[in-house]
């Protein structure tokens, strides 16, 4: 195990979790800072991700727990209340949500709504004085991302994006290999993420709800990967769009290929699609390489380098991610996947769309 992943792993099993400074943030229940009390999370939007990934992960977390829900569906409220033994006073709908400001039993609001709703609900959560985790993509434009960051700063609450892979050991190893130049300077990154999308009526295929297609949904993983593999911010992008089903993908992109140029001279060649399944990260450096495949799904992630197979722990991504954020709050640290991180990806997304529209190279 690498130093980085070992440290993370140790912190997961309890070592290195000593209390550091106590935040000056008043919205957190004070109990959380006094020993073993867990951080109380309310999930907003009880769809696939909340039901099958976040709520289940919250049964495994060490530093946080499911304490509340915000849903527009009364039947879900009933079902979740029973299933997770939730207190009636911690259950909201989208109209009553702002009253969460008066609820000391909720520390963090986790926004898992369709992409176009992230902006509104993160800002409302911030105004209610709650720390926020917001699912990816952070929002549907750079402008929205900036407004969300500003609202959280103004309210003095912390914001994290649901980039679960930053808490995942294989991904951490890819970051280490790339950023610490373990095999010399990174020259080429290949990253791709896609899946075959089903139901043609779903919100992911509506521009007003999703902001874009495969690019917004899973292209962000490939952008993230290029950025964390090099540890750099890209300077230029070129991009190409392909559409095989103009009816299904009338409003949003189906397949996009793009190339990013980094200040060091490293180049990333990436793809995203709603047409078929793919997920891979390949980092080619001066003296060796690292490959993760599968690279971005829920796991198990698998990987190898030019020196052999990687054998790292397989973890529950979402449990690790939420526990990491809980520790950020406990230790009054900024999350490594804060709003700026989400905004940087949206900057690249906007530049990719511009490169497609203009057919030229776009400065990011
Ligand atoms: P779903 O469509 O399964 O769920 C979205 C939920 O949002 C709905 O069930 C509903 O919950 C609520 N909602 C409120 N208004 C609307 C509306 N107008 N249309 C549709 N739903 C509405 O989506 P997912 O759970 O798959 O995705 C939610 C978010 O999580 C997205 O931003 C997505 O990108 C992200 N995600 C992240 C993943 C990751 O690995 N990090 C994986 C999957 C998704 P209710 O009935 O409770 O009101």
């Amino acid at each position: 195990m690498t130093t980085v992943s070992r440290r993370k792993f140790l912190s997961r099993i309890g070592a290195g979790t000593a209390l550091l400074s106590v935040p000056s943030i008043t919205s957190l229940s004070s109990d959380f800072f006094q020993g073993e009390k867990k951080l109380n999370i309310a999930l907003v939007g009880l769809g696939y991700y909340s039901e099958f990934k976040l709520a289940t992960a919250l049964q495994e977390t060490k530093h946080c727990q499911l304490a509340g829900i915000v849903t527009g569906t009364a039947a879900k409220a009933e079902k979740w209340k029973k299933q997770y033994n939730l207190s009636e006073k911690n259950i909201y709908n989208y109209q009553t949500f702002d009253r969460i400001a008066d609820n000391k039993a909720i520390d963090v609001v986790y926004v898992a709504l369709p992409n176009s709703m992230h902006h509104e609900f993160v800002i409302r959560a911030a105004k209610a004085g709650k720390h926020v985790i917001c699912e990816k993509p952070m929002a549907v434009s750079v402008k929205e991302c900036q407004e969300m960051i500003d609202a959280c700063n103004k309210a003095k609450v912390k914001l994290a994006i649901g980039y679960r892979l930053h808490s995942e050991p294989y991904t951490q190893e890819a970051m280490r290999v790339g950023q610490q130049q373990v095999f010399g300077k990174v020259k080429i990154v290949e990253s791709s993420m896609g899946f075959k999308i089903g139901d043609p009526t779903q919100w992911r295929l509506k521009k007003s709800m999703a902001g874009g297609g495969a690019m917004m949904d899973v292209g962000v993983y490939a952008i993230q990967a290029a950025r964390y593999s090099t540890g750099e911010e890209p300077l230029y992008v070129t991009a190409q769009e392909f559409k095989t089903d103009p009816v299904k993908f009338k409003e949003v992109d189906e397949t996009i290929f793009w190339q990013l140029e980094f200040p060091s001279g490293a180049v990333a060649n990436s793809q995203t699609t709603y047409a078929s399944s793919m997920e891979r990260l390949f980092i080619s450096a001066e003296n060796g390489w690292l490959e993760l495949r599968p690279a971005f799904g829920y796991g198990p992630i698998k990987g190898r380098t030019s020196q052999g197979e990687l054998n790292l722990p397989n973890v529950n991504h979402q449990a690790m991610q939420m526990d990491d954020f809980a520790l950020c709050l406990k230790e009054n640290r900024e999350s490594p996947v804060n709003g700026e991180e989400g905004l940087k990806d949206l900057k690249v997304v906007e530049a990719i769309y511009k490169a497609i529209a203009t057919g030229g190279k776009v400065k990011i």
Side-chain angles (χ1 to χ4, degrees):
M1 209 185 295
T2 65
T3 313
V4 174
S5 57
R6 188 179 303 116
R7 194 175 60 231
K8 284 273 181 187
F9 190 60
L10 286 176
S11 98
R12 177 87 186 128
I13 60 173
T17 55
L19 274 182
L20 298 178
S21 58
V22 175
S24 55
I25 295 153
T26 49
S27 58
L28 274 177
S29 58
S30 55
D31 286 352
F32 179 62
F33 298 102
Q34 292 162 7
E36 295 308 304
K37 205 73 180 192
K38 291 182 173 185
L39 189 74
N40 286 321
I41 295 188
L43 295 177
V44 187
L46 307 181
Y48 165 80
Y49 199 56
S50 284
E51 182 171 6
F52 296 108
K53 296 296 165 192
L54 299 177
T56 48
L58 282 162
Q59 309 310 304
E60 290 185 32
T61 41
K62 197 169 152 222
H63 303 294
C64 46
Q65 64 190 1
L66 179 63
I69 50 174
V70 184
T71 176
T73 310
K76 289 185 191 172
E78 270 313 300
K79 176 174 172 267
W80 281 61
K81 184 181 168 193
K82 282 200 194 89
Q83 185 171 352
Y84 293 109
N85 197 22
L86 299 173
S87 161
E88 183 66 41
K89 70 174 180 47
N90 295 350
I91 299 176
Y92 299 88
N93 61 36
Y94 302 123
Q95 288 71 44
T96 60
F97 171 62
D98 306 285
R99 290 188 211 145
I100 207 165
D102 304 320
N103 191 341
K104 289 277 172 218
I106 303 293
D107 303 307
V108 174
V109 164
Y110 195 138
V111 178
L113 290 161
N115 307 342
S116 65
M117 299 174 76
H118 293 180
H119 173 257
E120 176 188 340
F121 279 83
V122 166
I123 291 174
R124 283 170 71 179
K127 283 186 176 158
K130 302 299 175 186
H131 300 287
V132 200
I133 307 176
C134 173
E135 258 316 314
K136 47 61 44 183
M138 178 174 173
V140 297
S141 69
V142 171
K143 180 175 175 285
E144 283 191 354
C145 293
Q146 191 58 59
E147 288 168 1
M148 292 152 79
I149 293 169
D150 292 345
C152 290
N153 285 342
K154 190 171 173 205
K156 294 189 170 49
V157 297
K158 291 201 193 297
L159 168 62
I161 309 306
Y163 287 141
R164 57 187 161 74
L165 291 167
H166 282 247
S167 302
E168 191 283 319
Y170 284 86
T171 308
Q172 290 168 349
E173 179 62 1
M175 291 175 186
R176 188 184 75 90
V177 163
Q179 294 175 23
Q180 296 183 24
Q181 305 189 352
V182 171
F183 298 133
K185 275 186 161 185
V186 172
K187 306 302 278 185
I188 306 286
V189 177
E190 293 174 356
S191 56
S192 52
M193 175 61 160
F195 69 98
K196 189 170 164 53
I197 198 156
D199 179 9
T201 65
Q202 64 185 287
W203 65 262
R204 281 184 166 79
L205 298 174
K206 295 186 171 63
K207 186 150 189 335
S208 61
M209 296 297 292
M215 171 56 62
M216 278 283 179
D217 192 8
V218 287
V220 289
Y221 286 100
I223 293 171
Q224 268 274 299
R227 291 182 47 244
Y228 59 61
S229 297
T230 55
E232 297 180 59
E233 297 308 322
L235 293 174
Y236 299 100
V237 63
T238 46
Q240 307 81 39
E241 182 177 11
F242 305 89
K243 216 170 257 203
T244 63
D245 189 342
V247 176
K248 187 166 186 176
F249 301 103
K250 185 168 172 245
E251 296 187 23
V252 300
D253 47 278
E254 178 185 359
T255 299
I256 295 178
F257 289 17
W258 71 97
Q259 301 77 38
L260 299 176
E261 294 176 46
F262 290 89
S264 65
V267 179
N269 192 21
S270 305
Q271 299 96 40
T272 189
T273 188
Y274 269 160
S276 61
S277 167
M278 60 175 179
E279 51 164 312
R280 177 175 178 253
L281 169 61
F282 186 77
I283 305 173
S284 177
E286 288 167 310
N287 310 313
W289 52 264
L290 174 144
E291 181 186 47
L292 301 186
R293 183 163 53 94
F296 307 119
Y298 303 131
I301 307 286
K302 293 202 170 117
R304 54 209 66 81
T305 73
S306 41
Q307 296 180 343
E309 283 297 308
L310 290 171
N311 188 15
L312 299 169
N314 275 301
V315 301
N316 181 317
H317 300 182
Q318 293 82 4
M320 294 290 274
Q321 168 212 329
M322 288 187 275
D323 270 349
D324 280 351
F325 187 54
L327 290 178
C328 284
L329 296 179
K330 201 169 219 180
E331 296 164 3
N332 198 18
R333 283 185 283 115
E334 196 64 20
S335 164
V337 288
N338 63 10
E340 295 295 338
E341 189 64 16
L343 181 147
K344 283 174 185 166
D345 289 332
L346 257 295
K347 248 187 185 172
V348 179
V349 169
E350 286 190 352
I352 289 170
Y353 284 138
K354 191 170 170 196
I356 290 166
T358 60
K361 185 190 270 198
V362 168
K363 190 166 172 14
I364 300 171

